[in-house]
Amino acid sequence: NAGVTQTPKFQVLKTGQSMTLQCAQDMNHNSMYWYRQDPGMGLRLIYYSASEGTTDKGEVPNGYNVSRLNKREFSLRLESAAPSQTSVYFCASSGIGGSYNEQFFGPGTRLTVL
Amino acid sequence: GDSVTQMEGPVTLSEEAFLTINCTYTATGYPSLFWYVQYPGEGLQLLLKATKADDKGSNKGFEATYRKETTSFHLEKGSVQVSDSAVYFCALIIQGAQKLVFGQGTRLTINP
């Protein structure tokens, strides 16, 4: 099992360009998440999808859109990139069970917006 | 709201030293608590967890005990190695909720 995979690993954009970050999981998890990681701020939730066909805003959704394409895939789109979106983006997934949901993370996408 | 506060880093220790990274939390419900580790250039990996008060999570020589009375979940290791150099995140999730709440992370460097 590959777990959670993300593409691309690195990307450089110019202000105003658009791009889509791809995420896929092979653990048959219902829930998927997109986070951004900035120095000194930990991880902040952008959007999440509790199940196929649903998406919800997290802590910092402005400037982003998401699509839960199917149970495996959850993409994050930047329609018009801004320098403030320079960050490392992590996708995660979790299953159902017990009193908690352990989240499994992908390796991340390092995005620079010039 | 729910929040997690970690001791500020960076933390630098010599090999075989004792490690403590403090973590305290504020939660509106009954949280489960986690420590995640991020090695350089990688994503986060779950290090250990505890789901109820007085539970002790342990893995790879690391331990943390869920202390409800002090709302704490401090990470400890008796003898650190150079390979433990990483960023450590404390996190919580409220029972029935979807979202993890992370602390800001603590960068740990171990010198030989």
Side-chain angles (χ1 to χ4, degrees):
Chain A
N1 287 348
V4 180
T5 57
Q6 293 182 235
T7 55
K9 290 189 176 180
F10 301 94
Q11 184 71 48
V12 178
L13 294 177
K14 295 181 180 178
T15 297
Q17 288 185 317
S18 63
M19 78 162 295
T20 300
L21 282 65
Q22 306 287 353
C23 173
Q25 53 90 10
D26 61 2
M27 295 173 282
N28 201 34
H29 285 166
N30 286 327
S31 301
M32 297 186 74
Y33 311 82
W34 276 105
Y35 293 91
R36 61 177 288 173
Q37 183 181 28
D38 301 295
M41 302 190 73
L43 276 76
R44 294 182 292 170
L45 183 65
I46 305 171
Y47 272 92
Y48 68 101
S49 170
S51 61
E52 187 178 354
T54 68
T55 61
D56 286 284
K57 295 179 180 179
E59 185 182 354
V60 288
N62 290 346
Y64 305 95
N65 287 300
V66 290
S67 296
R68 185 71 182 269
L69 304 170
N70 47 55
K71 192 170 186 179
R72 291 188 63 250
E73 298 172 289
F74 188 40
S75 63
L76 178 72
R77 183 160 178 85
L78 286 70
E79 290 291 352
S80 178
S84 61
Q85 294 178 305
T86 294
S87 188
V88 182
Y89 292 85
F90 289 99
C91 179
S93 70
S94 66
I96 296 177
S99 61
Y100 64 90
N101 290 319
E102 178 181 338
Q103 294 190 13
F104 295 81
F105 286 79
T109 295
R110 186 174 296 274
L111 175 66
T112 301
V113 182
L114 303 176
Chain B
D2 303 323
S3 65
V4 175
T5 302
Q6 294 180 230
M7 68 184 288
E8 290 194 20
V11 175
T12 303
L13 296 172
S14 298
E15 205 166 21
E16 300 184 3
F18 184 86
L19 169 71
T20 301
I21 300 178
N22 289 339
C23 171
T24 58
Y25 67 88
T26 302
T28 53
Y30 297 97
S32 295
L33 302 173
F34 306 85
W35 277 101
Y36 279 85
V37 58
Q38 183 181 29
Y39 298 105
E42 299 184 10
L44 277 70
Q45 303 173 25
L46 181 66
L47 180 60
L48 53 83
K49 60 183 183 285
T51 60
K52 61 182 186 296
D54 299 324
D55 269 1
K56 177 185 285 189
S58 61
N59 186 25
K60 298 182 180 181
F62 291 89
E63 294 183 340
T65 301
Y66 188 145
R67 301 286 188 198
K68 188 177 181 181
E69 63 274 14
T70 54
T71 62
S72 65
F73 192 55
H74 304 321
L75 183 68
E76 297 182 335
K77 186 174 185 181
S79 177
V80 292
Q81 306 300 313
V82 172
S83 57
D84 295 326
S85 298
V87 181
Y88 292 82
F89 293 92
C90 186
L92 67 81
I93 192 167
I94 300 300
Q95 187 173 350
Q98 285 286 331
K99 297 175 279 188
L100 272 172
V101 177
F102 285 91
Q104 74 271 33
T106 301
R107 181 175 299 278
L108 173 67
T109 300
I110 307 300
N111 294 322

